[in-house]
Amino acid sequence: MKNVRSKLFLLLAFLSMCVGVSFQNSNHVQGTESHGSLVSAQGYASSNMGAADTVPITGVSVHYNGTLFVGDTNQIIYTLSPTNANNFQITWTSSDENVLTVDENGLVTTHSPGQATVSYKVTQAGVSNYWTGELLYSVSVNDTVPMTGINVHYQGNIRPGEQEQLTYKLTPADANNETITWQSSNTEVATIYANGVVHAMNAGTTTISYVARQKK
């Protein structure tokens, strides 16, 4: 589950006499970046009456990544309130082990596309009541073809007031599921729209950068 992050700097050098804009580019490919969705689930319980040395649990928060691909793993993280709650045990159960399994430490491993829930149960020594909750997971097949390079195409000369559409090609040609974000370092010289159109404003110099990401 990897995002490929690439960055290309396009130098827009507006000539002082406003005769045009020249572009120079250089590739700067950075490492992978991974982003996941954060889901929070709360447990529930009634009154707690435990042994004399047991600090009763008053709340359970569980954090996990609920959107995964086949073959991924996800470590479920939980937090108990108060922080000094003790004498507890937590168990995890998968509703469909064909889709995903979960071990005794809360590590989820996915096996096939589909949806499944992971149920948890928190018990304490000497406490009759317990905390429980369910975490919903959606598992899909990763159809992303990783990109290994990007070539940006442009005319190379525009005048203030003119526009130019920047286009790009990915390597390999079947790389997919990409999103491109553009940014100008000096919007008084030139702006760039979300679709990659550069709008020359005034004479000067700016840097247009873009970041290409792929679906995890």
Side-chain angles (χ1 to χ4, degrees), residues 40-51:
S40 179
Q42 299 291 329
Y44 60 90
S46 55
S47 61
N48 287 281
M49 303 223 14

Side-chain angles (χ1 to χ4, degrees), residues 49-56 87 125-127:
M49 303 223 14
D53 61 345
T54 296
V55 178
N87 296 333
V127 179

Side-chain angles (χ1 to χ4, degrees), residues 139-151:
V139 181
S140 60
V141 175
N142 187 356
D143 60 354
T144 297
V145 178
M147 57 184 170
T148 59
I150 303 175
N151 290 318

